[in-house]
Amino acid sequence: MTPDHISLHNKQFEPYLSAAELQAAIKQVATQLNQDYAGQPVMFVVVLNGSFMFAADLLKEVSLPCEVCFIRVASYQGTNSTGEVKEVLGLTEDLKGRHVIIVEDIVDTGHTMRMLLETLGKQQPASLEVATLFLKPECLQHELALRYVGLSIPNDFIVGYGLDFDGLGRNYPDVYKAV
């Protein structure tokens, strides 16, 4: 049962997207990936920490031969993007000549994604795409060609389903927005 509100670090949140709505969006992204990469091996690069739930559910729906690896980057402090991206945990896999999909929980300013696309692109993958559960189009500060977007949402601060507020809130199966 979904609580009618949650409190994290003295900030209030109300229900925004249900687990069922999230799963429908994830299935749509997986269907598109399965069609676009039919029969081709794919390397999924999952951006931690926020993408862990999305990645787990997305990969359950993907029927492609695939590998999964993880990278950790940080660009948030509290509810705001710092505008500065720091790579915390690097990628050790060789991406040259491979089809690579970056799995991200949310793209808002685009700073993190721009840095990741530039960094991973230097390894000369056969293709490099992004699969994001959420996109905040009005926040984008960089032009990004995003082919796999689960949901476009307004500029609300959200938590749950892997997304956090200073470490709390990732464990909720639904998504909540700040009140």
Side-chain angles (χ1 to χ4, degrees):
M1 185 159 142
T2 302
D4 60 355
H5 78 279
I6 58 174
S7 179
L8 304 171
H9 297 296
N10 297 318
K11 191 168 188 62
Q12 299 299 310
F13 296 85
E14 65 186 12
Y16 182 56
L17 293 164
S18 70
E21 290 171 296
L22 298 173
Q23 293 306 312
I26 292 165
K27 284 184 184 200
Q28 173 264 317
V29 171
T31 297
Q32 193 177 356
L33 286 165
N34 288 332
Q35 290 171 353
D36 291 353
Y37 291 93
Q40 299 177 70
V42 174
M43 169 62 83
F44 287 95
V45 177
V46 179
V47 181
L48 294 174
N49 287 338
S51 300
F52 77 98
M53 283 192 177
F54 172 47
D57 287 343
L58 177 67
L59 291 168
K60 290 174 195 172
E61 300 293 330
V62 168
S63 58
L64 306 167
C66 66
E67 292 180 57
V68 182
C69 63
F70 301 90
I71 189 168
R72 186 170 177 186
V73 296
S75 64
Y76 261 79
Q77 187 169 356
T79 61
N80 300 309
S81 174
T82 63
E84 186 178 322
V85 178
K86 297 177 249 177
E87 186 173 351
V88 179
L89 175 66
L91 183 69
T92 57
E93 287 76 8
D94 182 10
L95 303 180
K96 186 172 184 168
R98 302 177 81 176
H99 295 292
V100 177
I101 308 291
I102 301 170
V103 180
E104 178 67 295
D105 55 355
I106 188 165
V107 175
D108 44 31
T109 63
H111 294 314
T112 300
M113 198 48 56
R114 188 194 80 206
M115 183 276 296
L116 282 176
L117 287 166
E118 288 174 4
T119 301
L120 300 183
K122 290 176 184 174
Q123 289 198 33
Q124 301 174 323
S127 65
L128 181 59
E129 298 290 344
V130 176
T132 184
L133 181 54
F134 299 110
L135 172 65
K136 291 183 177 181
E138 64 193 66
C139 295
L140 273 178
Q141 296 177 18
H142 304 278
E143 281 202 33
L144 298 172
L146 302 174
R147 290 182 58 191
Y148 306 102
V149 175
L151 298 162
S152 288
I153 62 171
N155 188 21
D156 294 317
F157 184 69
I158 58 174
V159 298
Y161 197 73
L163 293 101
D164 73 305
F165 174 32
D166 280 344
L168 296 179
R170 293 188 196 279
N171 58 308
Y172 293 98
D174 303 300
V175 170
Y176 294 80
K177 69 177 179 176
V179 179

